[in-house]
Amino acid sequence: DVKVTQSSRYLVKRTGEKVFLECVQDMDHENMFWYRQDPGLGLRLIYFSYDVKMKEKGDIPEGYSVSREKKERFSLILESASTNQTSMYLCASSSAGLGPHYSYNEQFFGPGTRLTVL
Amino acid sequence: GNSVTQMEGPVTLSEEAFLTINCTYTATGYPSLFWYVQYPGEGLQLLLKATKADDKGSNKGFEATYRKETTSFHLEKGSVQVSDSAVYFCALSSGKYGNKLVFGAGTILRVKS
């Protein structure tokens, strides 16, 4: 059974703290993603990684950084948490499939981390 | 840029009612289209997909047809169940290699017994 796991389901942090959200997948997928989910806005892509140590900014990267030292693990870092980063954070992974020009690769999602910044 | 617009919810239906959730998109090129579902307390999971115009995706009694002429991908089900209560997201493939997704805002579906 394929699996994407996230380190915490619920997290409460203080403004200014450094926060680490961890994601691990067991499917040997090349691609990994971090999204935030907010009511009325759907999912918005924060960062994307297509290989170890490779990353690409998504639509809302400000205030976030990422790390991918191993293929199975993708970390999202909030350098100095702020109240407007209170949200649900979802990690996903997908295969590179048949190659870079293959236009469809299903993304598999973790259960999410609900982060509250006070 | 690419974008997805979904009908606003929540949508509240009685069991066995017919369901339609509208989805329209704006995109360059020929994206693939998807419906994902999020059950309470869980992450998203793929419900169905269509990769080219006139394709019909189907799964668990849900269907959606890729309509290029109306840039739409409406989700339908003939008879909903209480267990279908969830949030439904329409999405399209994006990015240089099509391996990113652009999501709509999501539509909450509530089915009453």
Side-chain angles (χ1 to χ4, degrees):
Chain A
D1 202 17
V2 295
K3 208 170 229 188
V4 178
T5 56
Q6 295 184 228
S7 50
S8 306
R9 294 298 301 267
Y10 300 93
L11 210 51
V12 179
K13 296 292 182 180
R14 298 267 178 211
T15 302
E17 280 193 78
K18 191 169 186 175
V19 181
F20 294 86
L21 302 182
E22 304 284 338
C23 174
V24 177
Q25 51 97 0
D26 66 358
M27 295 167 279
D28 201 35
H29 283 167
E30 291 80 9
N31 301 324
M32 296 188 75
F33 308 82
W34 275 107
Y35 297 90
R36 64 177 282 174
Q37 180 181 4
D38 299 289
L41 297 176
L43 276 72
R44 292 178 291 166
L45 182 64
I46 304 172
Y47 266 99
F48 159 55
S49 169
Y50 50 92
D51 202 349
V52 175
K53 297 191 188 294
M54 307 303 286
K55 62 187 179 185
E56 191 174 304
K57 291 180 181 178
D59 300 317
I60 50 164
E62 297 79 18
Y64 303 94
S65 61
V66 289
S67 171
R68 191 159 180 211
E69 297 296 319
K70 293 185 177 182
K71 190 175 185 181
E72 68 271 16
R73 188 180 297 270
F74 191 36
S75 303
L76 179 70
I77 302 150
L78 287 66
E79 295 289 343
S80 177
S82 63
T83 54
N84 63 12
Q85 293 178 308
T86 291
S87 186
M88 171 71 87
Y89 290 88
L90 291 169
C91 175
S93 71
S94 71
S95 170
L98 301 179
H101 300 293
Y102 189 59
S103 66
Y104 161 62
N105 292 297
E106 177 183 353
Q107 291 190 17
F108 294 86
F109 284 80
T113 296
R114 184 164 294 284
L115 173 67
T116 302
V117 182
L118 301 175
Chain B
N2 295 348
S3 66
V4 175
T5 302
Q6 286 180 239
M7 64 186 287
E8 286 190 29
V11 173
T12 303
L13 296 173
S14 298
E15 216 167 13
E16 300 184 1
F18 184 85
L19 168 71
T20 300
I21 300 178
N22 290 339
C23 171
T24 57
Y25 67 91
T26 302
T28 54
Y30 304 97
S32 296
L33 300 174
F34 310 85
W35 278 100
Y36 278 80
V37 59
Q38 184 179 34
Y39 298 104
E42 298 182 12
L44 279 70
Q45 54 186 272
L46 181 66
L47 181 59
L48 53 83
K49 69 181 191 295
T51 56
K52 62 182 187 297
D54 299 324
D55 264 5
K56 178 186 278 189
S58 61
N59 186 25
K60 300 181 181 179
F62 290 89
E63 293 183 341
T65 301
Y66 190 162
R67 302 280 188 206
K68 192 168 183 296
E69 63 277 11
T70 55
T71 62
S72 65
F73 192 55
H74 304 321
L75 182 69
E76 295 182 336
K77 187 176 185 184
S79 176
V80 294
Q81 306 300 311
V82 172
S83 58
D84 293 326
S85 298
V87 185
Y88 292 82
F89 292 93
C90 185
L92 60 82
S93 61
S94 184
K96 185 176 178 183
Y97 299 118
N99 45 15
K100 298 184 202 176
L101 292 174
V102 173
F103 287 88
T107 302
I108 297 171
L109 171 65
R110 298 183 180 132
V111 181
K112 302 184 297 185
S113 58

